[in-house]
Amino acid sequence: MAHRTKALVCVALVLLLIGTWGPWSQESAERQAKDGLTRALTTYAVARAINALISVAQSTQVSVQPAGVGVATHPGEALDPVNDLVEQFSTLMLAASVAFGVQLLLIKAGAHYLVSAALSGVAVAWCVVYISRLTVPRWLTKTLVLLLLVRFAVPATVVASEQTYQALFEDQYQQSVQVLKSAPANGESTSRAATPSSGSPGARSSWRDWLPSVTKAPPESAEPADKVDGVVGRMQAFLKDGVEHVVTLAALFVVQTLVLPLVFLWSLLTALRYVGAWPPSRLTSSVN
């Protein structure tokens, strides 16, 4: 029974060594980390674009003449709290992008041939000592566990986190991003001043097309009330649809870049803790 256990342990190490030198595990982890980086950068770009749109709305000056007296107002100033939220959200998205970039660097570093060579040498030495019925030195086992962590911890964590995201959160991410992309256009369509046509902002499909239009001066024939209605409509649309999805996206990226990696890393460390206890004292004494 003891010899069979030793054979199984050494076969498992041989399989790990094959994975150490094989490119498929690294390529899969890199591809999934790049997918996460692309999502984070895309969301960051959307957040910065919305921030720019809010800044344009805040700088919009509307002239009204109650009782014949001209008054200039800035209705977009009511968006200050939302603007702060979007700025903090964009900062979080930048941090998430950096986290995915760090994951890519750690995957490349762990796949370096020096790490693979060191792991192979230590694993072979460990197996030789283990099979020869000698007591494996604790430092040799700890070195083996450390090199296994350096080589496989980050790729395994990245793959597990990405698979969990795809299974549980991908639909919610797509829905929230789509709402944020279309929020300015929806706000424009709620305005009575906007008449959908081929050349009007109300007929545009997203903030990418809507942004140039709001930076242009309105026609001289536009009524002040229509201007106010347009700005207020855009603000109401964003407050209704955008803020909730901003919070949802922030939670999704915190879970994927912080919570899930910590959970999977803790699980991996817990599993390797038992590896670090090899060989069991009972098995060693029975063999000797």
Side-chain angles (χ1 to χ4, degrees):
M1 186 66 181
H3 295 290
R4 181 180 302 176
T5 302
K6 289 188 174 186
L8 291 176
V9 171
C10 290
V11 167
L13 279 178
V14 170
L15 294 177
L16 284 176
L17 291 182
I18 294 176
T20 298
W21 292 100
W24 52 86
S25 60
Q26 176 190 356
E27 292 175 353
S28 176
E30 285 186 0
R31 181 176 63 255
Q32 299 195 42
K34 288 179 181 178
D35 291 341
L37 178 60
T38 301
R39 288 196 304 272
L41 290 176
T42 300
T43 311
Y44 174 76
V46 172
R48 296 306 300 173
I50 292 177
N51 183 255
L53 292 175
I54 295 175
S55 298
V56 171
Q58 287 178 317
S59 63
T60 301
Q61 179 175 327
V62 178
S63 298
V64 294
Q65 296 182 348
V69 180
V71 178
T73 63
H74 294 80
E77 291 180 354
L79 278 178
D80 277 338
V82 181
N83 195 28
D84 294 338
L85 174 64
V86 174
E87 287 181 354
Q88 294 175 6
F89 174 64
S90 63
T91 302
L92 177 62
M93 290 302 98
L94 182 59
S97 302
V98 173
F100 283 115
V102 171
Q103 289 178 358
L104 282 171
L105 291 177
L106 291 178
I107 291 172
K108 292 180 181 295
H112 196 273
Y113 74 93
L114 291 178
V115 177
S116 299
L119 176 57
S120 300
V122 172
V124 170
W126 192 93
C127 282
V128 169
V129 175
Y130 185 47
I131 294 177
S132 63
R133 299 187 178 183
L134 299 175
T135 301
V136 180
R138 187 67 63 188
W139 66 266
L140 184 59
T141 301
K142 290 183 177 180
T143 303
L144 176 62
V145 171
L146 177 62
L147 290 174
L148 286 173
L149 284 175
V150 172
R151 180 61 182 89
F152 293 108
V154 175
T157 301
V158 169
V159 171
S161 299
E162 182 67 18
Q163 292 301 316
T164 302
Y165 158 79
Q166 293 179 4
L168 300 179
F169 306 127
E170 185 173 14
D171 292 340
Q172 183 63 57
Y173 169 80
Q174 296 294 342
Q175 178 184 356
S176 297
V177 168
Q178 188 60 37
V179 169
L180 291 186
K181 286 182 178 180
S182 60
N186 292 338
E188 186 71 17
S189 65
T190 61
S191 172
R192 290 184 310 217
T195 302
S197 62
S198 59
S200 66
R204 302 179 187 274
S205 59
S206 69
W207 50 266
R208 293 185 180 89
D209 299 320
W210 185 78
L211 179 59
S213 67
V214 298
T215 59
K216 298 179 181 179
E220 296 297 332
S221 60
E223 295 294 333
D226 292 336
K227 300 178 188 177
V228 175
D229 191 24
V231 174
V232 172
R234 289 190 294 272
M235 289 193 300
Q236 290 177 343
F238 183 79
L239 289 172
K240 179 181 179 181
D241 300 327
V243 175
E244 178 182 353
H245 290 280
V246 165
V247 175
T248 299
L249 286 173
L252 287 178
F253 277 96
V254 168
V255 168
Q256 187 179 6
T257 59
L258 181 62
V259 177
L260 288 179
L262 288 178
V263 170
F264 290 125
L265 184 59
W266 175 83
S267 302
L268 186 60
L269 289 174
T270 301
L272 288 177
R273 183 184 304 172
Y274 295 97
V275 177
W278 277 86
S281 57
R282 185 181 64 180
L283 178 61
T284 305
S285 60
S286 64
V287 173
N288 291 333

